[in-house]
């Protein structure tokens, strides 16, 4: 079964978020809003802080779009706090960082590298119904682009709000969309 179009599985994870006590997040907390699950291999590493800083710089834009972001690694919420308190890049993060030391989320989303106990570098966008609409998985050494993630979420939100319309490649908000029909077959 493919993961796109599937509903997220039940989970509960403890989160660290700047300015708050540790708190639990579950699948029921996620439903009703758009969400990004941003998996990364481990705290205190190399590519991960550059990606997380990039995502932190887009967090206010995403929040303005009705999207909550959850950083996820197989580290504990305690490790997330220690990294946040000691790294200039990670200290910029305002979104919740979920501890997945029991590998529930990593297994649920199919990104656990069991032989290492680490999550793949993966992004999942979940709609308000808890359905996965977008996924991206890259190899260990390739970082992701948060501006491109914002663009993709805008397209997913547009398609959800405009049934019968689809967004072509490189679509930007306000650009022309397509209405799939027999009239378009062979003309694009």
């Amino acid at each position: 079964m493919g993961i796109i179009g599937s509903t997220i599985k039940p989970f509960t994870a403890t989160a660290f978020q700047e300015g708050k006590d540790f708190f639990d997040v579950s699948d029921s907390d996620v439903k009703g809003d758009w969400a990004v699950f941003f998996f990364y291999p481990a705290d205190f590493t190399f590519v991960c802080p550059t990606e997380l800083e990039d995502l932190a710089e887009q967090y206010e834009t995403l929040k303005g779009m009705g999207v909550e972001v959850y950083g996820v690694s197989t580290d504990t919420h305690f490790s997330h706090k220690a990294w946040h308190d000691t790294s200039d890049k990670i200290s910029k993060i305002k979104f919740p960082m979920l501890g997945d030391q029991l590998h529930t989320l990593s297994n649920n989303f199919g990104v656990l590298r069991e032989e290492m106990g680490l999550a793949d570098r993966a992004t999942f966008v979940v709609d308000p119904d808890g359905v996965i609409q977008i996924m991206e998985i890259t190899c260990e050494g390739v970082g992701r682009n948060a501006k491109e993630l914002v663009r993709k979420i805008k397209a997913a939100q547009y398609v959800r709000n405009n049934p019968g319309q689809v967004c072509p490649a490189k679509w930007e908000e306000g650009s022309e969309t397509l209405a799939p029909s027999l009239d378009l077959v062979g003309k694009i």
Side-chain angles (χ1 to χ4, degrees):
M1 177 175 93
I3 195 161
I4 297 294
S6 67
T7 302
I8 60 172
K9 296 177 183 176
F11 75 90
T12 300
T14 303
F16 163 75
Q17 188 172 13
E18 182 182 60
K20 295 185 177 185
D21 290 332
F22 296 129
F23 61 98
D24 286 341
V25 174
S26 72
D27 53 297
S28 60
D29 297 319
V30 172
K31 291 182 181 170
D33 295 306
W34 287 85
V36 170
F37 288 87
F38 196 83
F39 288 87
Y40 60 96
D43 292 351
F44 298 99
T45 55
F46 314 102
V47 175
C48 300
T50 66
E51 291 186 305
L52 290 163
E53 178 186 37
D54 183 44
L55 186 58
E57 291 168 356
Q58 296 298 319
Y59 185 54
E60 288 305 314
T61 299
L62 289 163
K63 288 294 286 182
M65 296 165 52
V67 180
E68 183 56 90
V69 174
Y70 300 96
V72 186
S73 76
T74 57
D75 299 289
T76 67
H77 53 288
F78 298 112
S79 180
H80 294 333
K81 181 182 183 332
W83 197 26
H84 189 273
D85 291 350
T86 58
S87 167
D88 291 339
K89 290 184 181 302
I90 300 306
S91 67
K92 296 176 184 176
I93 294 174
K94 306 296 183 212
F95 52 82
M97 300 175 75
L98 305 180
D100 189 33
Q101 66 272 21
L102 299 178
H103 305 160
T104 303
L105 280 162
S106 300
N107 274 316
N108 284 359
F109 284 88
V111 296
L112 180 66
R113 287 183 276 158
E114 291 185 23
E115 69 283 357
M116 300 178 76
L118 301 175
D120 281 324
R121 195 174 304 288
T123 307
F124 297 89
V125 176
V126 178
D127 73 16
D129 298 319
V131 176
I132 298 169
Q133 296 297 330
I134 297 169
M135 66 180 275
E136 176 183 17
I137 302 175
T138 68
C139 66
E140 182 80 23
V142 177
R144 295 160 281 182
N145 182 324
K147 285 184 182 176
E148 175 62 4
L149 175 61
V150 168
R151 186 195 71 77
K152 289 178 182 177
I153 294 171
K154 285 180 180 180
Q157 290 178 332
Y158 182 89
V159 168
R160 179 182 172 93
N161 294 330
N162 296 277
Q165 296 290 309
V166 295
C167 297
K170 297 193 260 181
W171 180 86
E172 295 286 344
E173 190 172 32
S175 297
E176 190 174 321
T177 59
L178 301 171
S181 70
L182 287 176
D183 295 339
L184 290 179
V185 174
K187 295 180 182 171
I188 297 176

